[in-house]
């Protein structure tokens, strides 16, 4: 099934705390508040292929779009929307594929390089050489205190532990990718750990708000694993299905009790929500909380799974704690806890969870924002509460 996209929308993403959405179009860019929903800033100054915010501040990172006049995908601009001023402008040797920010660090991802800057003075601190990474598979901690960068490891590692103070491994001359993930400290500028996450190549990485958990998915997309940072202990393992699917979006909620993910399944015929989820395995639960994730299929349905706790409160004392080594993984059949249906199928989406309400937020490549409510007590089908357009009426009319 071909992806359904709005040809005028070139980029859309949530900010670090999921309170705002940044949108890049053929005309320029805009910032929209999630709750209450509303456009808060618009500037039509040329096509924008990347628009990334720094939380809810006025600092915005902008990148031009390929194949658009007067717009270069190699040029990064940091602007202050409140002062209407340009902070800096940088030109890179190849197209910028992704930009990641926290309050101390700016990360620029090229196909074979990652640039790390001190965001306070825009001083270049480090350059990492990588194997070809055309999908810009990178995650940066939103936390500036536990500031770690995760990306596919350039070389397979015989062990998972890297000695403290070790320098990054040299990139492999082979383009074959592994299922290992490299954790790099942007504060000490050293490798913190190497995680043997999957057997298949990595397809998506996500770090929670406090920089203590890393979620990983492989190209197969059948298993999602959650690891401690920087210790690389496997905390949770979710089997999202037996059919392979590419994960396009994955985010923790702010308190790290939920993990939302959106994938495109290889299924060619629609299936019911109950059929879209297979049995799974879990290793632990958070104190007083639950483990769940959202699974968005191409048939336009999203399901939320909830797992019973295997641990008592005295075992897990805090979010991000992990099982003692003497305890082994336990198999638990999963069940559908809740699901939601998207109005249309085939659209590429980004998903996130509200930090204040039991709600799922979805950005669609068709240019829409959907808000669903979750009944955390009874589960069942989530209710579509609101649907908004992220584009101007003129953009939609010209599509």
């Amino acid at each position: 099934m071909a992806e359904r996209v709005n040809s005028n929308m070139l980029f859309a993403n949530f900010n670090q705390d999921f309170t705002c959405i940044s949108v890049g179009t053929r005309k320029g860019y805009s910032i929209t508040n999630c709750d209450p929903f509303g456009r808060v800033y618009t500037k039509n100054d040329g096509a924008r292929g990347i628009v990334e915010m720094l939380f809810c501040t006025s600092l915005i990172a902008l990148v031009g779009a390929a194949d658009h006049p007067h717009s270069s995908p190699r040029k990064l601009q940091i602007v202050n929307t409140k002062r209407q001023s340009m902070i800096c402008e940088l030109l890179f040797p190849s197209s910028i594929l992704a930009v990641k920010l926290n309050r101390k660090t700016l990360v620029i991802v090229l196909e074979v390089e990652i640039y790390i800057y001190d965001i306070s003075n825009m001083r270049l601190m480090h350059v990492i050489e990588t194997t070809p990474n055309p999908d810009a598979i990178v995650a940066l901690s939103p936390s500036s205190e536990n500031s770690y960068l995760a990306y596919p490891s350039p070389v397979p590692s015989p062990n998972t532990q890297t000695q403290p103070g070790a320098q990054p491994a040299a990139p492999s001359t082979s383009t074959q990718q592994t299922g290992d993930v490299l954790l790099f400290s942007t504060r000490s500028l050293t490798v913190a750990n190497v995680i043997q996450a999957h057997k298949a190549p990595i397809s998506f990485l996500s770090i929670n708000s406090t920089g203590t958990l890393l979620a990983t998915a492989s190209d197969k997309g059948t298993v999602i694993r959650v690891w401690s940072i920087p210790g690389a202990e496997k905390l949770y393992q979710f089997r999202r299905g037996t059919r392979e699917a590419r994960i396009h979006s994955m985010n923790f909620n702010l308190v790290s009790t939920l993990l939302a993910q959106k994938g495109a399944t290889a299924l060619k015929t629609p299936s019911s929500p109950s059929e879209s989820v297979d049995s799974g395995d879990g290793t632990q639960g958070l104190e007083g909380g639950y483990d769940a994730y959202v699974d968005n299929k191409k048939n336009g349905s999203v399901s939320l799974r909830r797992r019973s706790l295997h641990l008592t409160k005295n075992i897990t004392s805090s979010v991000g704690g992990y099982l003692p080594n003497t305890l082994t993984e336990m198999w638990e059949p999963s069940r559908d806890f809740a699901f939601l249906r998207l109005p249309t199928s085939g659209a590429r989406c980004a998903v996130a969870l509200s930090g204040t309400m039991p709600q799922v937020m979805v950005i669609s490549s068709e240019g829409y924002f959907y808000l669903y409510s979750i009944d955390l007590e009874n589960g069942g089908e989530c209710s579509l509460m609101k649907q908004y357009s992220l584009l101007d009426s003129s953009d939609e009319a010209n599509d």
Side-chain angles (χ1 to χ4, degrees):
M1 182 185 297
E3 285 186 353
R4 297 168 60 92
V5 298
N6 185 300
S7 60
N8 289 301
M9 191 169 77
L10 305 179
F11 178 90
N13 197 16
F14 293 99
N15 67 343
Q16 293 87 345
D17 58 8
F18 316 120
T19 56
C20 294
I21 301 168
S22 54
V23 174
T25 70
R26 294 176 181 273
K27 294 180 179 180
Y29 65 100
S30 64
I31 305 299
T32 297
N33 193 64
C34 291
D35 185 22
F37 183 89
R39 183 80 61 85
V40 294
Y41 186 83
T42 303
K43 190 171 182 66
N44 293 326
D45 60 351
R48 296 298 182 182
I50 297 176
V51 183
E52 292 285 5
M53 302 178 65
L54 178 62
F55 291 90
C56 288
T57 70
S58 55
L59 188 146
I60 308 287
L62 302 170
V63 178
D67 303 323
H68 285 77
H70 313 297
S71 180
S72 171
R74 296 170 51 217
K75 182 186 293 185
L76 170 77
Q77 295 176 323
I78 305 294
V79 300
N80 185 312
T81 56
K82 187 175 182 179
R83 298 178 180 176
Q84 297 285 315
S85 63
M86 178 84 67
I87 297 174
C88 75
E89 189 172 274
L90 298 171
L91 192 65
F92 290 86
S94 62
S95 294
I96 299 168
L97 304 182
V99 177
K100 307 290 182 182
L101 307 93
N102 64 32
R103 296 187 189 276
K104 292 185 178 178
T105 304
L106 168 70
V107 171
I108 308 298
V109 183
L110 310 185
E111 184 169 356
V112 293
E113 290 177 310
I114 299 174
Y115 289 74
I116 302 175
Y117 289 85
D118 181 337
I119 205 168
S120 66
N121 54 22
M122 290 305 297
R123 178 176 63 89
L124 178 62
M125 298 192 296
H126 199 75
V127 179
I128 300 172
E129 295 181 13
T130 68
T131 46
N133 186 12
D135 294 324
I137 302 167
V138 166
L140 176 69
S141 306
S143 167
S144 56
E145 300 305 315
N146 295 316
S147 186
Y148 292 94
L149 181 70
Y151 61 95
S153 180
V155 290
S157 176
N159 53 53
T160 58
Q161 184 66 42
T162 300
Q163 295 298 321
Q167 293 301 313
S172 169
T173 55
S174 170
T175 58
Q176 183 178 2
Q177 295 188 359
T178 72
D180 294 354
V181 177
L182 194 146
L183 276 178
F184 186 85
S185 170
T186 65
R187 301 198 71 179
S188 64
L189 301 178
T190 58
V191 172
N193 223 325
V194 178
I195 303 173
Q196 294 177 325
H198 300 270
K199 293 181 181 179
I202 300 298
S203 69
F204 207 91
L205 301 169
S206 180
I207 298 178
N208 71 335
S209 62
T210 55
T212 56
L213 298 176
L214 168 70
T216 64
S218 74
D219 274 350
K220 291 186 176 180
T222 54
V223 173
I224 295 170
R225 296 189 173 104
V226 179
W227 311 82
S228 67
I229 297 177
E233 296 284 344
K234 185 169 71 174
L235 308 182
Y236 321 108
Q237 179 168 298
F238 304 123
R239 184 169 295 278
R240 57 154 302 281
T242 56
R243 299 177 187 272
E244 295 186 6
R246 179 83 179 187
I247 304 301
H248 292 310
S249 178
M250 190 160 56
N251 279 309
F252 290 91
N253 65 343
L254 294 182
V255 293
S256 304
T257 55
L258 290 168
L259 176 65
Q261 67 92 2
K262 185 269 179 187
T265 182
L267 281 173
K268 294 183 179 179
T269 57
S271 62
S272 68
S274 60
E275 293 171 337
S276 68
V277 178
D278 296 322
S279 60
D281 51 346
T283 59
Q284 103 174 57
L286 302 177
E287 177 186 6
Y290 44 83
D291 305 324
Y293 71 88
V294 175
D295 182 11
N296 179 1
K297 301 289 187 177
K298 259 197 176 178
N299 62 7
S301 70
V302 175
S303 56
L304 177 70
R305 289 196 284 183
R306 181 176 185 175
R307 301 172 184 275
S308 60
L309 299 182
H310 283 296
L311 302 178
T312 56
K313 291 186 178 182
N314 62 342
I315 292 179
T316 307
S317 59
S318 63
V319 170
Y322 51 85
L323 282 171
N325 293 330
T326 54
L327 295 183
T328 58
E329 293 182 10
M330 293 166 281
W331 179 270
E332 177 198 359
S334 68
R335 61 182 179 87
D336 282 357
F337 171 62
F339 65 93
L340 63 86
R341 301 178 190 275
L342 296 174
T344 60
S345 62
R348 185 162 181 160
C349 299
V351 296
L353 293 143
S354 169
T356 56
M357 299 291 288
Q359 296 172 345
V360 181
M361 301 178 292
V362 182
I363 301 172
S364 164
S365 59
E366 295 175 292
Y368 293 101
F369 172 74
Y370 304 109
L371 185 65
Y372 290 83
S373 64
I374 308 169
D375 184 340
L376 293 178
E377 292 300 320
N378 302 311
E381 183 167 3
C382 298
S383 301
L384 176 60
M385 300 171 59
K386 297 175 183 177
Q387 173 180 335
Y388 301 100
S389 173
L390 290 166
L391 300 172
D392 292 330
S393 57
S394 59
D395 289 330
E396 295 177 306
N398 295 330
D399 184 35

